[in-house]
Amino acid sequence: MQVDGKHYRSIWFDDDSATVRIIDQRWLPHRFLIVELTSRKSFCDAIRDMWVRGAPLIGAAAAYGVAAEMQNDASDSALDEVCNELQQTRPTAVNLVWALNHMRQLLQGLPEQQRAAIAMKRAHEICDEDVECNRQIGLNGLQIIKNIAENKDVGQPVNILTHCNAGWLATVDWGTATSPIYHAAQADIRVHVWVDETRPRNQGAQLTAWEMDSHGISHQLIVDNAGGHLMQHGDVDLVIVGTDRTAANGDVCNKIGTYLKALAAKDNEIPFYVALPSPTIDWNITNGIAEIPIEERDGQEVTHVWGKLEDGNLASVQISPDGTAAGNPAFDVTPGRLVTGLITERGVAPATSEGLAAMFPKFSG
Ligand code: MRU
């Protein structure tokens, strides 16, 4: 998408330097920094410490991490080691495991001298496929927004609430939850986005608000606790969120706080949709609540807040008493029964085993 009038993806291969580049998301929205990833360690650090984040982007970065390793050492042991190390970085987003399994299966049957070129080509393709999936998700989600717009008074916007950042920065381009929003704006449908700040790391405040602003999409930042109130007062027409892993039974794992939004949406009879590319479906898990591993992150993300000071410098400040112990589960699981539909690249599926199996018969076994 656009940054100051220039098109960027969140990750790309730079032909001149022959390196993978990313937008280092730790500094947004206050600094726009591009960094090169070259070593195995740099790819692992970038995923673990959230220079890149968001399930589809984590998968793309992992594919490039394997490809970069193959340029240095294409042996079986290097392939095993890089896949194992990358897999340890973040446990919840299944796109990471998907990309690593995919690369491993592709490469292990090949002669070593062919691995580097084929791995890099496949990593590029994984990125392009993600972009195309998200474009299709946008077109499928556009129909939902269009239907709601048709039932609104003339000139009234469709009010969409979103949680965390499932925008282009969380994918290679377009985003998942935001792709229908961009497509609606392109179709001249008036939309207004309620952006949940998404504590503790504030991906909504820092990333989604920045994305919306860059594209001139009407939006307001709200604290995470405001959504239920807005829904009760008719100020939300639709919720669209992303997901880090959706179980084969339609249970949706996403950023912590998503479940509470789904409960409030159900109570207020507001449609609650989840937008996802098919690599985010975990066909091996049939009970999302019981089986999806939930990442527990450092308590400092809860006790501290990062931002810009009045003098323009960036700083982290402590908001709790010295020594306060914090719990920091990074994700929660929304049962499929609270989800109106899953917006995929193939269409909108019911959030049930049957619904997903009918949409993706080849994968569902
Ligand atoms: O911890 P993060 O920032 O990686 O979490 C991201 C999310 O929860 C997103 O909503 C999800 O990955 C969907 S991204 C298209």
Side-chain angles (χ1 to χ4, degrees):
M1 304 299 288
Q2 302 290 318
V3 180
D4 292 336
K6 183 172 174 204
H7 179 260
Y8 282 91
R9 285 183 172 187
S10 60
I11 191 166
W12 66 96
F13 185 78
D14 180 67
D15 290 320
D16 293 336
S17 62
T19 55
V20 175
R21 294 190 171 184
I22 57 158
I23 299 167
D24 186 343
Q25 301 187 23
R26 290 172 300 169
W27 310 107
L28 288 171
H30 307 300
R31 306 275 190 271
F32 183 77
L33 296 179
I34 291 168
V35 297
E36 282 180 359
L37 302 180
T38 47
S39 64
R40 183 195 302 182
K41 181 175 180 318
S42 68
F43 279 92
C44 289
D45 288 347
I47 297 174
R48 186 187 313 101
D49 299 337
M50 295 174 70
W51 317 1
V52 290
R53 26 67 52 205
L57 176 54
I58 291 172
Y64 271 130
V66 174
E69 178 71 13
M70 293 297 98
Q71 317 296 306
N72 301 326
D73 179 354
S75 64
D76 283 348
S77 58
L79 179 59
D80 273 348
E81 280 165 26
V82 71
C83 288
N84 293 342
E85 274 181 44
L86 283 163
Q87 192 162 338
Q88 303 306 315
T89 53
R90 291 198 73 190
T92 301
V94 76
N95 305 58
L96 177 70
V97 183
W98 176 87
L100 293 173
N101 287 345
H102 189 89
M103 295 299 277
R104 201 196 281 261
Q105 276 164 22
L106 173 74
L107 298 174
Q108 61 195 3
L110 293 175
E112 281 184 23
Q113 66 274 20
Q114 290 181 13
R115 286 180 177 171
I118 288 178
M120 196 52 87
K121 179 167 171 286
R122 189 65 195 117
H124 298 331
E125 286 167 0
I126 284 175
C127 289
D128 290 343
E129 285 162 12
D130 182 61
V131 176
E132 180 53 21
C133 267
N134 298 332
R135 197 182 68 79
Q136 287 296 337
I137 286 169
L139 293 171
N140 295 332
L142 170 62
Q143 292 308 317
I144 295 167
I145 298 178
K146 236 184 207 163
N147 291 343
I148 294 174
E150 280 165 12
N151 291 314
K152 299 225 38 155
D153 291 341
V154 179
Q156 289 304 305
V158 176
N159 293 300
I160 303 169
L161 185 141
T162 192
H163 190 69
C164 194
N165 173 260
W168 70 271
L169 289 165
T171 64
V172 179
D173 208 349
W174 283 109
T176 55
T178 55
S179 187
I181 295 170
Y182 290 126
H183 280 86
Q186 280 176 5
D188 285 331
I189 297 171
R190 277 194 69 199
V191 288
H192 179 76
V193 181
W194 296 112
V195 178
D196 277 358
E197 62 177 351
T198 319
R199 277 281 287 150
R201 283 187 70 104
N202 290 319
Q203 289 95 327
Q206 292 169 356
L207 306 177
T208 309
W210 182 75
E211 291 176 341
M212 295 291 109
D213 185 55
S214 302
H215 282 262
I217 309 267
S218 166
H219 65 285
Q220 276 168 280
L221 180 65
I222 51 174
V223 296
D224 293 324
N225 297 329
H229 166 79
L230 294 171
M231 290 183 200
Q232 281 176 329
H233 289 270
D235 294 326
V236 178
D237 297 305
L238 166 70
V239 180
I240 314 181
V241 297
T243 167
D244 296 85
R245 189 185 296 229
T246 287
N249 71 341
D251 289 349
V252 168
C253 181
N254 192 46
K255 183 53 56 188
I256 193 79
T258 302
Y259 172 47
L260 291 177
K261 295 302 143 69
L263 284 171
K266 186 75 166 180
D267 193 44
N268 291 281
E269 297 178 10
I270 291 165
F272 183 97
Y273 284 94
V274 179
L276 69 157
S278 49
T280 309
I281 304 167
D282 188 338
W283 297 105
N284 297 317
I285 285 189
T286 52
N287 181 334
I289 297 169
E291 296 173 61
I292 295 177
I294 301 295
E295 178 179 6
E296 180 76 26
R297 292 188 62 87
D298 195 324
Q300 183 153 340
E301 293 182 348
V302 178
T303 58
H304 289 62
V305 171
W306 176 86
K308 185 166 76 169
L309 302 174
E310 280 181 11
D311 65 7
N313 286 319
L314 305 180
S316 169
V317 294
Q318 181 182 318
I319 56 171
S320 53
D322 289 348
T324 298
N328 191 9
F331 301 95
D332 61 26
V333 178
T334 298
R337 69 187 150 76
L338 299 179
V339 176
T340 311
L342 300 169
I343 310 172
T344 75
E345 70 270 22
R346 293 209 182 158
V348 182
T352 59
S353 308
E354 300 72 26
L356 277 172
M359 188 70 74
F360 296 96
K362 188 170 150 225
F363 301 104
S364 61

